[in-house]
């Protein structure tokens, strides 16, 4: 059972590496994945019937992994504004640390409106609106805006070679201001969330590496 689990993880990792390295106009095929994993086509078919099934399984795994990681980090954080800031920071930081992860997540359909992750974003957005933290006209538009910040932030960090902390902090502050948070509080919260995340992440997230 452990051997099968390791092989499945190996194939999913290869799927992420291959799909994450492809440009928007490029199309991965099974041969790319089995070459990256160093296995036979027969081995691939023991676990997945198609590349699309492997991509779907990977997307689901990464979504669940992200939700679990955010849950572990947020268990002592009740402020919706800090939760939003920390969520952006964690997502962008992971893209900076693992570009293949960021490149794949930007394209997965598992961050759709009915996903577990999006349900958590919705709950936090409604809580922030109810508290008077956010000044927004539409919860749906606010959710789309937050996803836009995360996706564009990931895209920039995957493609650009620059120190990630100043960029992530600035993007987080600007995102909070877009939700109606006053500039002074947005700047302060972005810095506080960055300190909190970098201090606690090593104890909660296996993928975490110090941001350069």
């Amino acid at each position: 059972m452990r051997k099968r689990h390791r092989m499945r993880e190996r194939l999913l990792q290869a799927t992420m590496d291959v799909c994450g390295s492809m440009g928007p106009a490029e199309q991965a095929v099974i041969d790319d994945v089995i070459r990256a994993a160093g296995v036979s086509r027969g081995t691939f078919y023991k676990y997945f019937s198609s590349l699309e099934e492997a991509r779907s399984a990977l997307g689901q795994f990464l979504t669940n992994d992200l939700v679990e990681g955010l849950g572990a980090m947020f268990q002592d954080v009740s402020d919706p504004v800090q939760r939003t800031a920390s969520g952006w920071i964690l997502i962008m930081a992971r893209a900076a640390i693992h570009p293949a992860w960021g490149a794949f997540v930007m394209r997965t359909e598992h961050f759709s409106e009915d996903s577990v992750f999006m349900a958590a974003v919705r709950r936090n957005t409604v809580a922030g609106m109810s508290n008077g933290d956010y000044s927004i006209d539409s919860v749906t538009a606010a959710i789309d805006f937050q996803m836009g910040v995360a996706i564009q932030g990931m895209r920039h960090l995957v493609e650009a070679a620059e120190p990630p902390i100043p960029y992530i902090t600035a993007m987080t502050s600007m995102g909070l201001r877009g939700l109606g948070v006053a500039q002074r509080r947005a700047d302060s919260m972005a810095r506080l969330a960055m300190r909190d995340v970098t201090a606690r992440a090593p104890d909660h997230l296996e993928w975490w590496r110090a941001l350069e």
Side-chain angles (χ1 to χ4, degrees):
M1 183 69 72
R2 286 194 297 269
K3 184 178 179 180
R4 283 187 59 82
H5 180 72
R6 288 196 299 270
M7 178 55 70
R8 189 173 188 274
E9 286 191 335
R10 182 174 171 180
L11 289 168
L12 290 177
Q13 180 65 51
T15 300
M16 182 170 69
D17 291 342
V18 167
C19 295
S21 65
M22 295 275 180
E26 296 179 289
Q27 184 65 46
V29 295
I30 290 176
D31 285 343
D32 296 322
V33 173
I34 63 176
R35 188 179 305 112
V39 300
S40 67
R41 180 177 286 266
T43 297
F44 178 90
Y45 282 121
K46 287 180 182 178
Y47 295 85
F48 306 106
S49 63
S50 64
L51 180 57
E52 187 55 39
E53 182 181 336
R55 284 171 55 89
S56 179
L58 177 60
Q60 188 63 59
F61 171 79
L62 293 180
T63 302
N64 292 340
D65 181 59
L66 180 59
V67 171
E68 290 175 7
L70 292 173
M73 290 290 292
F74 289 168
Q75 59 185 346
D76 300 321
V77 178
S78 58
D79 183 352
V81 179
Q82 185 175 347
R83 290 168 70 92
T84 298
S86 297
W88 276 329
I89 289 168
L90 284 166
I91 290 170
M92 287 188 277
R94 189 163 188 177
I97 293 168
H98 299 292
W101 178 92
F104 183 87
V105 167
M106 284 189 293
R107 301 169 190 165
T108 181
E109 69 278 7
H110 285 82
F111 290 93
S112 60
E113 188 172 347
D114 60 350
S115 70
V116 174
F117 174 75
M118 293 300 288
V121 174
R122 176 174 289 276
R123 286 194 301 272
N124 192 64
T125 302
V126 170
M129 189 177 180
S130 300
N131 289 350
D133 293 314
Y134 297 147
S135 176
I136 56 181
D137 298 321
S138 164
V139 172
T140 300
I143 292 171
D144 288 345
F145 170 76
Q146 291 173 74
M147 292 306 297
V149 170
I151 291 171
Q152 184 55 43
M154 286 192 290
R155 179 175 291 111
H156 179 83
L157 290 161
V158 166
E159 297 175 354
E162 66 174 86
I165 290 180
Y167 174 82
I168 295 172
T169 304
M171 194 72 160
T172 299
S173 175
M174 293 173 68
L176 293 177
R177 279 180 270 163
L179 293 171
V181 179
Q183 180 169 350
R184 180 173 294 182
R185 186 184 181 197
D187 290 344
S188 175
M189 182 58 74
R191 292 191 296 268
L192 182 152
M194 178 63 78
R195 290 195 300 271
D196 182 67
V197 166
T198 54
R200 295 198 294 137
D203 295 328
H204 294 281
L205 305 172
E206 291 184 2
W207 57 263
W208 182 264
R209 301 289 184 274
L211 292 169
E212 298 296 336

